[in-house]
Amino acid sequence: MPVPIEELKLEIVNAATGKPLGAKAAPSADGVLVVRDFPDDGPSPERWQLAPVQATQGGQAQDDQGYVIRNAVSGKVLDDPAAADRAVRQWGAANGKKGQQWHVVPVEGEAGLYFIEGATDGAVLDLADPGADETGIVLREHDDSAESQRWRFVPAEPERTSDLVLHWAALAHWNGRRSWRLAPSTALRPAPGATPSFSNMLLVLERFGSNEDAGKWKSEGAPLPQALGFVRAGDTPCSGGQPGWWAGAGARFLADTTGAGRSDIVGLEPAKGAVTSSSRGDGTFDDEERVLHPPVPSASPKDLWTFADTTGGGKPDVVVLAADGVRVSPQGEDGTFAPAGGEPALKAFGHGEQAGGWLADKHPRFLVDTTGDGRLDVVGCHDDGVWVSLQDEEGKFAPIGDEPVLRAFGHAEKAGGWLADKHPRFLVDTTGDGRLDVVGCHDDGVWVSLQDEDGTFADPLYVLDDFGVDQGWKSVEEHPRFLLRTTAGGTPDIVGFGPLGVVVARGRGDGTFEPAKLVLNDFGDAQGWTSGKHLRFLADVTGDGTPDIVGFGNEGVWVSHSRGEGRFEQAQLVCRGFGYNEDAGAWRVDRHPRFLADITGEGRVDIVGFGGPGVYVARNLFRRFRTR
């Protein structure tokens, strides 16, 4: 587990005994600390906070990150009094005192366990008598095999609040037209001075649902780029309509099909191709669906579709990864796509043998501007490494070469043994030079391959020992990871939903990252979030240019607003709908896709879900209303 940041309250638990660090049952004036049991009917264990300090030596800053470990209630800190018995106490803070500064050192090969090392002489926290009750805490020489010297940080329960919600009230019209207004709701008890974030959900279209009378749609092939293990900085798998996601047969999703700045509903029917219900711009959609694009020739359930502006002209095109390779149907001025079956643009990256035999569960493929020229290129990871086809000024894709551009990040062992379900890979500009680099999370942590000005990718470098399987990140599905800017104008950071909550590693702008930190004790395994029940995304809810955390949990939709610089506020329940519990709609991950997309063109994402009866919407109301 990454080191938590100072705002989080933690129990510090000894690995050998399972008991937390705290004062004696009858505290003494000398501040002696012990590990002991805390009965359920007694006082709670002490909770601590880690406040970072810059370690110095001879007046010069050192690379080792130091911490003051502070009692969250009393404000006293972990202190080494330099006594003969090396006992450790909690004591009043003294600014700059070396005996109150500690290093938190991960135990190699043991995810979530740490040595707590004194900054004075490198001695570590240990138990005076591991077998005794209320044994004291002392400093001893580091012993890598001593379990009593290993400690675990356990975050306290998240402190959640409820945001105000407005519900839809139906209005009757003499001509039978349907409309709704927003009215106050008693569904939630808002925090004082709260501003409504989302309305309650409303059924706006009785199509595209999983029920028989709504089309009997199934959710296979939902457009989640993380499922393909390859995403680009800035993409969010919830929004659709961004370069980098792919959808298969039967999928329903949101995409801006016209370039108007608002998302429409799109579904992929094997017999019809892509069908759509266009957004009306008011949070509703056309009642009738129409065929947007017919199936490609020799259509297959293995075909993958996306909508993307491949040339920078402002209108999205249809791009299909078919059996014979990449097919493109540009969108004309009249809004139609031609040719009807897609023009063969590249005989590669397809699932047929003649196009390379690319498989969705092994070989991620991507549309992305790798060079900064405004045109999307095709990038993919096959068995033997990374392959690239650049698009030229005439809109043509260059044939791929005889060799991969990088013999790494591939499925086969000789290219690293990267697995799509365990090892997410990203294309992102980590240095600010306008060219995208390859970043991946393998078993042992994060690897980066930088692209130079000639378009050559350097051999991967190991840059961070976190976000990998060995650190407890089991799979792409269970522990989603993203690479995007958390500060406007900053460099991309890594944000992940880990075992204990939200973890962030800030980008340094040179292809490396700062040590990972646990920044929010929510949205993780420890707080009950699982991939089988819940969805977690990053999206700009407020329109301020920085991503917020959005989670579809048991009770409904929770949002943690971004504070910038890789930090997030405590979660607020913003919509009592789209959740797993019965009273939140009984939404299921395997049947009911949910998305965050701007369906009004106002610059803020709304919530859209495909339920049993059809399409539900919760409007984004942020800053539009205020409570009195």
Side-chain angles (χ1 to χ4, degrees):
M1 186 197 83
V3 176
I5 64 167
E6 58 186 304
E7 289 94 340
L8 297 189
K9 299 174 182 177
L10 315 153
E11 292 178 18
I12 301 177
V13 179
N14 183 260
T17 63
K19 298 178 181 180
L21 174 71
K24 292 182 176 180
S28 56
D30 58 7
V32 169
L33 290 170
V34 298
V35 294
R36 68 181 182 91
D37 290 319
F38 285 82
D40 293 339
D41 57 352
S44 299
E46 272 90 344
R47 289 176 176 172
W48 306 84
Q49 294 171 296
L50 273 62
V53 294
Q54 181 65 60
T56 60
Q57 183 174 344
Q60 298 295 317
Q62 302 296 300
D63 290 335
D64 272 347
Q65 175 68 69
Y67 294 90
V68 170
I69 302 177
R70 179 176 288 110
N71 189 302
V73 175
S74 69
K76 294 183 177 181
V77 302
L78 206 65
D79 180 85
D80 172 15
D85 59 2
R86 302 306 312 270
V88 176
R89 62 183 181 177
Q90 56 177 329
W91 206 250
N95 189 33
K97 181 181 178 183
K98 200 75 170 177
Q100 295 181 350
Q101 296 179 17
W102 308 86
H103 297 144
V104 179
V105 183
V107 177
E108 187 174 354
E110 294 284 349
L113 293 181
Y114 297 87
F115 298 107
I116 300 177
E117 177 187 82
T120 305
D121 59 3
V124 300
L125 292 194
D126 200 350
L127 305 183
D129 185 355
D133 293 334
E134 288 203 16
T135 183
I137 308 301
V138 297
L139 285 167
R140 287 202 177 106
E141 184 178 346
H142 169 255
D143 180 356
D144 198 54
S145 63
E147 191 175 7
S148 60
Q149 294 183 359
R150 303 179 182 191
W151 302 84
R152 177 177 287 109
F153 297 108
V154 180
E157 289 297 312
E159 299 173 5
R160 292 170 166 176
T161 61
S162 292
D163 210 345
L164 182 63
V165 167
L166 300 183
H167 74 90
W168 297 92
L171 295 177
H173 297 269
W174 64 271
N175 60 0
R177 180 176 174 270
R178 292 186 304 166
S179 66
W180 302 268
R181 65 181 176 85
L182 291 166
S185 170
T186 58
L188 297 176
R189 295 176 180 268
T195 300
S197 289
F198 287 91
S199 71
N200 276 343
M201 65 182 190
L202 174 71
L203 179 64
V204 299
L205 184 63
E206 295 180 1
R207 293 178 180 273
F208 297 98
S210 56
N211 291 354
E212 185 82 34
D213 54 359
K216 204 175 181 180
W217 287 76
K218 297 181 180 180
S219 61
E220 295 102 316
L224 298 179
Q226 287 276 29
L228 297 179
F230 209 60
V231 295
R232 184 192 69 165
D235 288 342
T236 55
C238 50
S239 62
Q242 301 294 327
W245 56 265
W246 300 100
R252 295 153 287 169
F253 52 91
L254 279 294
D256 180 1
T257 63
T258 64
R262 59 176 184 260
S263 294
D264 310 306
I265 294 171
V266 180
L268 299 180
E269 290 192 34
K272 296 181 179 179
V275 298
T276 184
S277 286
S278 299
S279 170
R280 291 171 173 159
D282 61 356
T284 65
F285 300 89
D286 289 344
D287 291 331
E288 298 299 322
E289 68 179 45
R290 61 183 175 87
V291 175
L292 188 65
H293 189 282
V296 299
S298 303
S300 166
K302 296 181 181 180
D303 294 344
L304 297 174
W305 294 57
T306 192
F307 287 80
D309 180 5
T310 60
T311 62
K315 284 183 172 288
D317 311 311
V318 172
V319 183
V320 182
L321 300 178
D324 56 355
V326 181
R327 286 180 168 266
V328 178
S329 290
Q331 185 174 178
E333 292 299 324
D334 60 354
T336 61
F337 297 87
E343 178 183 352
L346 182 62
K347 292 183 179 180
F349 300 103
H351 54 81
E353 289 300 321
Q354 70 272 31
W358 293 71
L359 305 178
D361 60 349
K362 290 184 178 180
H363 308 134
R365 285 148 287 172
F366 205 70
L367 273 175
V368 63
D369 179 8
T370 61
T371 62
D373 63 359
R375 292 179 175 271
L376 299 184
D377 312 307
V378 185
V379 182
C381 292
H382 208 285
D383 291 338
D384 49 0
V386 180
W387 295 79
V388 176
S389 171
L390 298 178
Q391 187 183 177
D392 63 22
E393 293 180 356
E394 297 178 354
K396 296 181 179 180
F397 292 94
I400 60 174
D402 296 330
E403 298 287 337
V405 299
L406 180 63
R407 289 193 177 277
F409 300 101
H411 180 79
E413 287 297 324
K414 62 182 179 182
W418 292 76
L419 306 178
D421 62 341
K422 289 186 177 182
H423 307 134
R425 283 152 282 178
F426 308 81
L427 278 173
V428 57
D429 179 8
T430 65
T431 62
D433 63 358
R435 290 182 172 271
L436 302 189
D437 312 305
V438 182
V439 182
C441 303
H442 207 285
D443 290 343
D444 51 358
V446 180
W447 292 78
V448 175
S449 173
L450 299 179
Q451 183 185 181
D452 65 22
E453 58 185 12
D454 297 326
T456 302
F457 290 89
D459 289 338
L461 294 175
Y462 181 62
V463 298
L464 188 64
D465 57 348
D466 215 319
F467 298 102
V469 175
D470 293 347
Q471 293 88 34
W473 300 75
K474 299 175 185 176
S475 69
V476 168
E477 184 179 29
E478 195 63 43
H479 297 127
R481 279 145 282 180
F482 304 90
L483 221 160
L484 73 180
R485 294 173 179 84
T486 62
T487 303
T491 56
D493 309 315
I494 302 174
V495 182
F497 299 99
L500 292 180
V502 180
V503 178
V504 173
R506 302 295 310 281
R508 291 184 171 128
D510 61 357
T512 66
F513 299 88
E514 296 178 3
K517 294 186 183 297
L518 180 68
V519 301
L520 187 65
N521 55 333
D522 210 340
F523 300 104
D525 296 0
Q527 295 82 32
W529 292 79
T530 67
S531 61
K533 293 182 177 181
H534 311 123
L535 301 173
R536 290 157 289 180
F537 302 130
L538 285 165
D540 181 7
V541 169
T542 63
D544 65 356
T546 58
D548 309 295
I549 295 170
V550 183
F552 293 81
N554 291 331
E555 305 88 347
V557 182
W558 294 88
V559 171
S560 289
H561 293 294
S562 172
R563 296 167 52 193
E565 298 183 349
R567 297 190 179 187
F568 299 89
E569 296 176 358
Q570 290 289 339
Q572 291 180 303
L573 184 62
V574 300
C575 181
R576 194 175 287 278
F578 302 103
Y580 185 84
N581 289 350
E582 290 293 328
D583 59 359
W587 292 71
R588 297 295 181 261
V589 170
D590 60 345
R591 296 200 302 273
H592 307 134
R594 283 150 282 177
F595 300 88
L596 294 167
D598 181 4
I599 61 175
T600 63
E602 295 177 341
R604 293 184 295 270
V605 294
D606 308 292
I607 304 171
V608 182
F610 296 90
V615 181
Y616 289 83
V617 168
R619 291 284 301 277
N620 189 328
L621 307 174
F622 195 78
R623 295 183 181 143
R624 190 178 302 162
F625 298 92
R626 290 193 179 275
T627 57
R628 295 182 179 178

